[in-house]
């Protein structure tokens, strides 16, 4: 620039920066250069530094919120969060379901009516547990909210279970009341009627969400709900609720063979509800729920997470690959939920021109294979897949908040400081941790597969299972890194890589996972052995190419003089087991191999799989079309591997 008063432009002055002292200029240059070097170094050696920092800050903010809620008097629960949402945006749609839209205010009023009806009919008082045997429908939400307003925990029952398992679920949580519905799809009313005599003997009252019922011993509740007032209930009804009070019982399979009732406290409800926030969803998002509401994923992360965010949800009775994207476009869905199987179904569906024509930006779930993950992104667009690892009863979990395909999470120092965990070496054959000469566990190295254990502390407790002290103790692992410490045994094998990513490897023990459900091998074995021809059964899960998880298989021995009765075995497994738990393959053996401690050996059987070309034993396949077990031939095997036969 020049002096405007000078002729022809006059003297020319340098830019102001040059007027700074020379040493200052050099200092600024050095700082800028150093900053460039630091940024370059971080990008090269810590490519996820920015994402780590953002996630850590978000986690700390959520943690501070939880501390504030815990310290508030009276305790601020997720119910209070819902009531705040009702006051803030009463007309906002909370749930879309089969063409109906239910606002926050409408759901609130319905829950008031349910609470008053149950208060009058069932004489419920604070602390009474009520079992919900309901399909995926909005009534689950307002019945649960009604119970919460009375200070009553809810036990969420899997609507696929029957008979012995159903009775067990009532008893272990101490429920004296069960609420069900006609459930045309799952025939829930019929399932309850099967065990009604036993329920009546034990004094358990059964209420049906219907106007009429022909079965003696089942009371209809719909008329009472309709007549009840929708006025708000007094907070005094739940005055004793605090952060460590039981909010829910959610059932998980275990080595006992029967479902275990994991105790979910109000603190755990809050922690699970924050998953959506940690994954980046907001109040403006629309969340699509097609997973069962009796699961932690569907209920805690999905529905409760939506309440925490104050968002709108779209609820479906069950997952449908053919209608999935149409639903997403119809309701402008922005956040979806998945398990590995559902993403595979979407990827296997016929390709269409408008596959990327949607608003979905985040997918939250678990259990997806790397190849399916990659194909899903290629076909359906740039969706942020947030793969997680967690267990309903566990005290440690991970979220993959990056775009790294295949990982279930990341390890960071803040996470490990507040919730200590480690991987320890595990002997698969003996099914126990490897210990050194001092009796302590040995930590697995980077890149090495190990058993995930989380330290049990005041901040990361393990509450355990209702009515099952033995199984609770089995999950507690003492003397891990030093004498006297106590860790939660996840029962899962994981691996940490050199970039601090976490990878799920396998399950250990007597459970496997199929169709997104945990299957208890001993429960299935008990059912198989109910068949007249079966003497002993050893149940395990085997991998099938192109499928998530492991499918059920049983090695069995026959009673003396008996042949394998295909029809009888089929009837037993179909009548007493849900579809996902039925052994699709049966292997007849002369005897079952045992360990030195008389446990059935599974490792070799799992490795051998179900290929008839490699196995000399007679193999059978559960054929859904002919409704019986049939000999497993090479042709059938090839049809399964090529996916001509759907499993």
């Amino acid at each position: 620039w020049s002096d405007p008063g000078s002729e022809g432009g006059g003297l020319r002055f340098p830019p102001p920066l040059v007027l700074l002292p020379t040493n200052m200029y050099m200092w600024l240059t050095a700082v800028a250069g150093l900053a460039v070097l630091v940024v370059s170094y971080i990008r090269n050696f810590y490519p996820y530094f920015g994402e780590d920092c953002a996630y850590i800050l978000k986690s700390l903010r959520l943690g501070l919120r939880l501390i504030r809620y815990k310290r508030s008097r009276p305790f601020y629960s997720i119910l209070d969060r819902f009531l705040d949402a009702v006051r803030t945006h009463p007309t906002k749609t909370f749930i879309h379901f089969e063409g109906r839209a239910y606002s926050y205010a409408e759901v609130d009023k319905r829950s008031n009516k349910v609470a008053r009806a149950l208060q009058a009919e069932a004489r419920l008082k604070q602390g009474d547990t009520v079992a919900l045997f309901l399909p995926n429908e909005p009534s689950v939400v307002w019945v649960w909210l009604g119970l919460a307003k009375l200070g009553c925990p809810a036990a969420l029952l899997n609507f696929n279970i029957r008979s012995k398992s159903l009775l067990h679920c009532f008893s272990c949580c101490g429920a004296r009341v069960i609420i069900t519905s006609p459930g045309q799809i799952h025939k829930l009313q019929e399932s309850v009627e099967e065990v009604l005599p036993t329920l009546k003997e034990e004094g358990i009252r059964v209420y049906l969400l219907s106007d009429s019922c022909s079965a003696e011993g089942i009371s209809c509740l719909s008329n009472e709900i309709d007549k009840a007032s929708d006025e708000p209930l007094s907070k005094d009804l739940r005055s004793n609720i605090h952060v460590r009070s039981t909010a829910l019982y959610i059932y998980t399979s275990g080595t006992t063979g029967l479902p275990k009732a994991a105790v979910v406290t109000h603190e755990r409800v809050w922690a699970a509800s924050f998953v959506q926030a940690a994954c980046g969803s907001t109040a403006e998002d629309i969340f699509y729920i097609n997973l069962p509401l009796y699961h932690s994923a569907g209920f805690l992360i999905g529905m409760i997470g939506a309440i925490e965010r104050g968002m709108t949800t779209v609820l479906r009775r069950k997952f449908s690959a053919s209608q999935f994207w149409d639903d997403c476009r119809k309701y402008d869905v922005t956040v979806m939920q998945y398990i590995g199987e559902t993403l595979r179904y979407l990827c296997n569906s016929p390709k269409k021109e408008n596959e990327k024509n949607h608003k979905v930006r985040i997918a939250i779930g678990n259990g997806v294979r790397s190849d399916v993950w990659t194909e899903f992104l290629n076909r359906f667009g740039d969706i942020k897949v947030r793969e997680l690892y967690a267990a309903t009863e566990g005290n440690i979990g991970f979220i993959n908040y990056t775009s790294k395909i295949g990982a279930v999470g990341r390890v960071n120092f803040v996470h490990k400081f507040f919730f200590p965990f480690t991987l320890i070496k595990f002997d698969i054959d003996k099914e126990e941790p490897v210990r050194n000469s001092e009796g302590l566990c040995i930590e697995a190295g980077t890149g090495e597969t190990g058993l995930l254990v989380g330290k049990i502390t005041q901040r990361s407790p393990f509450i355990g299972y209702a009515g099952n002290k033995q199984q609770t103790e089995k999950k507690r692992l003492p003397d891990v890194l030093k004498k006297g410490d106590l860790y939660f045994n996840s029962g899962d094998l994981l691996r940490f890589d050199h970039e601090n990513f976490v990878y799920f490897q396998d399950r250990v023990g007597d459970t496997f996972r199929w169709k997104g459900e945990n299957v208890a091998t001993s429960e299935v074995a008990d059912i198989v052995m109910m068949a007249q021809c079966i003497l002993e059964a050893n149940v395990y899960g085997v991998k099938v190419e192109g499928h998530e998880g492991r499918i059920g298989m049983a090695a069995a021995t026959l009673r003396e003089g008996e042949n394998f009765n295909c029809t009888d075995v089929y009837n037993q497994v179909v009548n007493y087991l849900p579809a996902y738990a039925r052994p699709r393959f049966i292997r007849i053996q002369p005897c079952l191999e045992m360990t030195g401690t008389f446990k059935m050996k599974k490792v070799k059987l799992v490795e051998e799989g179900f290929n008839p070309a490699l196995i000399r034993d007679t193999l059978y396949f559960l054929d859904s079309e002919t409704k019986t077990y049939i000999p497993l031939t090479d042709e059938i095997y090839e049809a399964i591997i090529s996916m001509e036969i759907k499993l």
Side-chain angles (χ1 to χ4, degrees):
W1 48 274
S2 61
D3 180 1
S6 63
E7 186 180 338
L11 297 173
R12 302 194 63 83
F13 293 93
L17 184 61
V18 179
L19 298 177
L20 292 171
T22 303
N23 61 343
M24 179 67 76
Y25 181 72
M26 293 176 63
W27 183 82
L28 289 173
T29 303
V31 170
L34 182 62
V36 170
L37 287 173
V38 170
V39 171
S40 177
Y41 178 82
I42 289 173
R43 283 181 176 175
N44 288 329
F45 294 97
Y46 299 98
Y48 302 98
F49 180 78
E51 289 165 294
D52 286 341
C53 288
Y55 179 76
I56 288 170
L57 288 172
K58 191 181 294 183
S59 299
L60 290 172
R61 284 199 301 269
L62 293 171
L64 289 172
R65 274 182 56 195
L66 180 55
I67 290 172
R68 190 167 72 248
Y69 296 156
K70 288 163 66 173
R71 290 178 177 175
S72 65
R73 295 293 181 272
F75 168 62
Y76 186 81
S77 70
I78 198 71
L79 170 60
D80 296 302
R81 181 76 168 179
F82 171 77
L83 295 174
D84 282 347
V86 173
R87 285 186 283 271
T88 306
H89 40 73
T91 59
K92 182 176 182 177
T93 298
F94 178 24
I95 303 171
H96 285 289
F97 180 76
E98 296 183 350
R100 277 288 312 270
Y102 300 91
S103 69
Y104 272 82
E106 185 177 358
V107 171
D108 180 44
K109 288 181 178 180
R110 285 175 179 258
S111 68
N112 290 339
K113 292 167 77 72
V114 168
R116 292 185 183 281
L118 288 172
Q119 200 178 25
E121 290 295 308
R123 299 288 190 269
L124 290 182
K125 62 183 185 299
Q126 188 171 170
D128 290 343
T129 300
V130 176
L132 305 186
F133 192 52
L134 297 169
N136 264 37
E137 56 189 28
S139 61
V140 175
V141 182
W142 52 68
V143 170
W144 164 71
L145 284 167
L147 292 172
K149 289 175 179 181
L150 297 175
C152 296
L156 307 181
L157 304 189
N158 181 336
F159 49 64
N160 293 294
I161 60 175
R162 299 291 182 267
S163 188
K164 182 181 177 183
S165 291
L166 193 55
L167 289 171
H168 168 78
C169 288
F170 298 148
S171 62
C172 64
C173 69
R176 309 311 301 166
V177 172
I178 176 172
I179 300 174
T180 187
S181 77
Q184 297 303 319
I185 295 176
H186 296 278
K187 302 186 184 302
L188 302 186
Q189 184 178 335
E190 293 178 21
S191 301
V192 172
E193 288 177 8
E194 287 177 9
V195 296
L196 195 55
T198 306
L199 295 178
K200 290 169 72 175
E201 284 178 14
E202 296 181 2
I204 296 174
R205 290 162 291 171
V206 181
Y207 292 92
L208 189 70
L209 295 180
S210 176
D211 296 327
S212 60
C213 177
S214 57
E216 186 180 348
I218 298 181
S219 304
C220 295
L221 197 59
S222 292
N223 288 331
E224 302 306 318
I225 292 173
D226 291 339
K227 290 186 292 186
S229 168
D230 63 6
E231 289 299 307
L233 286 86
S234 170
K235 277 190 173 184
D236 293 341
L237 294 171
R238 50 189 173 96
S239 59
N240 293 329
I241 299 299
H242 54 83
V243 69
R244 291 290 168 88
S245 297
T246 300
L248 297 163
Y249 296 97
I250 295 181
Y251 291 81
T252 178
S253 296
T255 53
T256 56
L258 292 168
K260 297 179 294 186
V263 178
V264 181
T265 63
H266 284 275
E267 180 179 33
R268 182 59 60 87
V269 168
W270 269 122
S273 77
F274 288 152
V275 169
Q276 280 203 47
C279 291
S281 66
T282 70
E284 284 68 47
D285 281 307
I286 297 176
F287 195 93
Y288 190 77
I289 302 174
N290 51 39
L291 299 181
L293 292 179
Y294 59 75
H295 267 180
S296 298
F299 193 79
L300 293 178
I301 296 176
M303 193 59 72
I304 304 299
I307 291 174
E308 190 279 326
R309 298 278 81 190
M311 60 164 59
T312 296
T313 63
V314 180
L315 178 65
R316 274 195 69 94
R317 289 189 184 275
K318 61 179 181 178
F319 172 80
S320 169
S322 62
Q323 297 178 41
F324 184 89
W325 293 113
D326 290 337
D327 278 350
C328 289
R329 283 184 280 270
K330 178 180 178 180
Y331 295 105
D332 291 328
V333 171
T334 56
V335 184
M336 59 174 278
Q337 209 171 10
Y338 72 87
I339 55 173
E341 282 293 299
T342 58
L343 290 197
R344 184 174 68 82
Y345 292 147
L346 292 175
C347 290
N348 287 345
S349 61
K351 291 187 177 181
K352 297 180 180 179
E353 291 183 2
N354 64 342
E355 288 185 335
K356 294 183 180 180
N357 179 23
H358 59 78
K359 296 181 180 179
V360 176
R361 64 186 188 89
I362 300 174
I364 302 173
N366 67 283
V368 60
R369 294 200 322 261
S370 296
D371 57 333
V372 175
W373 189 332
T374 302
E375 185 180 354
F376 177 76
L377 295 179
N378 290 337
R379 275 189 63 175
F380 303 111
D382 185 21
I383 299 171
K384 292 180 174 62
V385 177
R386 296 295 179 244
E387 175 83 356
L388 356 138
Y389 168 85
T392 303
E393 71 276 39
N395 65 351
I396 183 65
F398 303 101
I399 299 177
N400 181 359
Y401 46 84
T402 74
S403 56
K404 181 79 168 182
I405 291 176
V408 300
R410 272 180 69 70
V411 175
N412 63 65
F413 70 93
V414 174
H415 189 189
K416 201 163 186 176
F417 175 79
F418 285 108
F419 307 100
F421 60 87
T422 190
L423 297 184
I424 57 174
K425 293 186 177 183
F426 188 81
D427 189 318
I428 295 176
D429 292 322
K430 293 181 179 178
E431 293 190 354
E432 61 184 29
V434 177
R435 293 185 180 268
N436 60 22
S437 58
E438 297 176 2
L440 301 176
C441 297
I442 303 170
E443 290 190 271
T446 301
E448 194 175 5
T449 297
L451 177 70
L452 176 68
V453 293
K455 191 171 185 179
I456 298 173
T457 66
Q458 186 72 13
R459 192 183 290 120
S460 55
F462 167 58
I463 308 300
Y465 310 106
N468 200 331
K469 188 176 180 180
Q470 181 183 6
Q471 288 302 312
T472 298
E473 289 305 315
K474 284 181 71 173
K475 279 291 189 178
R476 292 186 170 126
L477 190 63
D479 303 333
V480 174
L481 299 182
K482 62 180 182 180
K483 293 293 183 180
D485 65 13
L486 194 62
Y487 280 70
F488 167 75
N489 179 354
S490 72
D492 292 324
L493 298 177
L494 277 69
R495 176 173 59 85
F496 300 157
D497 72 5
H498 67 284
E499 290 186 305
N500 287 328
F501 280 104
V502 183
Y503 296 87
F504 179 83
Q505 301 297 107
D506 209 347
R507 297 183 70 84
V508 299
D510 297 326
T511 62
F512 61 89
R513 194 167 179 83
W514 179 247
K515 301 289 184 183
E517 301 277 0
N518 291 336
V519 180
T521 57
S522 54
E523 179 185 6
V524 178
D526 288 344
I527 299 300
V528 172
M529 288 189 292
M530 287 170 62
Q532 180 62 34
C533 63
I534 302 294
L535 177 63
E536 289 183 299
N538 184 9
V539 175
Y540 48 97
V542 292
K543 290 189 175 181
V544 184
E545 188 176 337
H547 292 74
E548 309 286 347
R550 298 175 184 270
I551 195 169
M553 184 167 181
T557 59
L558 301 176
R559 295 182 185 276
E560 189 174 348
E562 294 278 354
N563 294 318
F564 183 71
N565 188 327
C566 299
T567 304
D568 185 29
V569 177
Y570 175 85
N571 288 336
Q572 293 296 337
V573 300
V574 168
N575 289 337
Y576 293 100
L577 293 171
Y580 62 81
R582 296 166 191 165
R584 297 303 297 269
F585 307 104
I586 290 185
R587 176 177 178 172
I588 304 301
Q589 293 190 298
C591 63
L592 299 180
E593 284 191 81
M594 300 283 185
T595 67
T597 55
F598 301 102
K599 285 186 175 181
M600 292 181 179
K601 289 187 176 180
K602 299 178 189 282
V603 176
K604 186 179 178 183
L605 293 170
V606 170
E607 291 173 352
E608 291 176 347
F610 59 98
N611 188 345
L614 303 177
I615 298 172
R616 292 184 179 181
D617 298 326
T618 305
L619 298 173
Y620 291 91
F621 170 64
L622 190 156
D623 186 10
S624 301
E625 291 187 6
T626 59
K627 292 183 169 36
T628 189
Y629 279 95
I630 60 175
L632 177 60
T633 62
D634 292 333
E635 292 74 22
I636 293 175
Y637 174 80
E638 291 300 329
I640 292 170
I641 297 301
S642 63
M643 296 190 186
E644 290 177 37
I645 293 179
K646 304 296 183 185
L647 297 175

